[in-house]
Amino acid sequence: MNSFDEVLNFLSADRYFNPSLVDRHTRLMKEFIRREAMASRRLGISSDTPFIDLSGIVSMGMSSDDSLTQNIIASFASSTAEHKCCLFMLSWFKAIEHQDAATRINNELAPYAPLLLFFREGGSFTKEHGVFIDIDDTSGFDANEVLCSDLKSPFSEEL
């Protein structure tokens, strides 16, 4: 499992892009959206669009929205959607780490694992019109394909 510090260190490193893996990146992004939707439903968050702040319901006011984190994310993210997702991902890991055993939420879905792998493998994305996800500037899909599915079948089995 990743920790807040591990994710922050990863986001601080030089980023490379690898559009040759666009099919894999698309599956990873769909898997991220599927897990995010499952986690949001489990946490009682209602949303019909991708990229929401899952940590908000469990963080009890904790945030990763400090100037250091913002500077790191600004250097890493290549789009507004990436910036928001990185902030939400860091806030999630911070919230998970600061919960005591009695209140720890079930993190079995690991909602941000596919997103982190997506970034590690050189993926990039943007969001247009609220639901269209452009992957690596070469491919894309409508997030409603995932959000309106039964959410039971993973798009990526290796996670």
Side-chain angles (χ1 to χ4, degrees), residues 11-156:
L11 295 177
S12 300
D14 289 339
R15 183 174 184 189
Y16 74 96
F17 295 97
N18 187 355
S20 68
L21 298 174
V22 67
D23 291 337
R24 178 167 165 76
H25 293 161
T26 300
R27 286 191 311 275
L28 287 168
M29 180 55 65
K30 286 181 176 182
E31 179 62 10
F32 164 59
I33 292 170
R34 182 186 79 86
R35 289 184 187 197
E36 180 187 58
M38 290 177 67
S40 70
R41 290 177 188 173
R42 192 175 285 174
L43 293 168
I45 301 170
S46 176
S47 178
D48 58 354
T49 60
F51 314 142
I52 59 172
D53 186 3
L54 293 174
S55 69
I57 194 108
V58 298
S59 66
M60 297 169 270
M62 297 183 84
S63 173
S64 293
D65 196 6
D66 59 57
S67 61
L68 172 63
T69 302
Q70 284 292 349
N71 289 338
I72 290 170
I73 293 171
S75 295
F76 180 86
S78 63
S79 71
T80 301
E82 285 187 0
H83 188 277
K84 288 173 71 172
C85 286
C86 287
L87 182 61
F88 296 161
M89 177 172 54
L90 283 167
S91 295
W92 174 264
F93 283 110
K94 186 176 245 185
I96 294 298
E97 286 182 357
H98 287 88
Q99 290 181 329
D100 61 34
T103 60
R104 188 167 309 248
I105 67 162
N106 185 346
N107 192 29
E108 69 186 33
L109 285 177
Y112 291 99
L115 180 63
L116 196 53
L117 187 56
F118 173 91
F119 285 139
R120 282 190 171 139
E121 294 186 358
S124 68
F125 71 94
T126 61
K127 180 173 83 165
E128 299 174 20
H129 308 293
V131 294
F132 187 80
I133 312 302
D134 179 63
I135 306 293
D136 299 335
D137 291 327
T138 60
S139 179
F141 65 95
D142 186 328
N144 284 323
E145 295 172 18
V146 178
L147 295 171
C148 295
S149 71
D150 67 7
L151 303 179
K152 293 180 182 173
S153 301
F155 290 93
S156 182

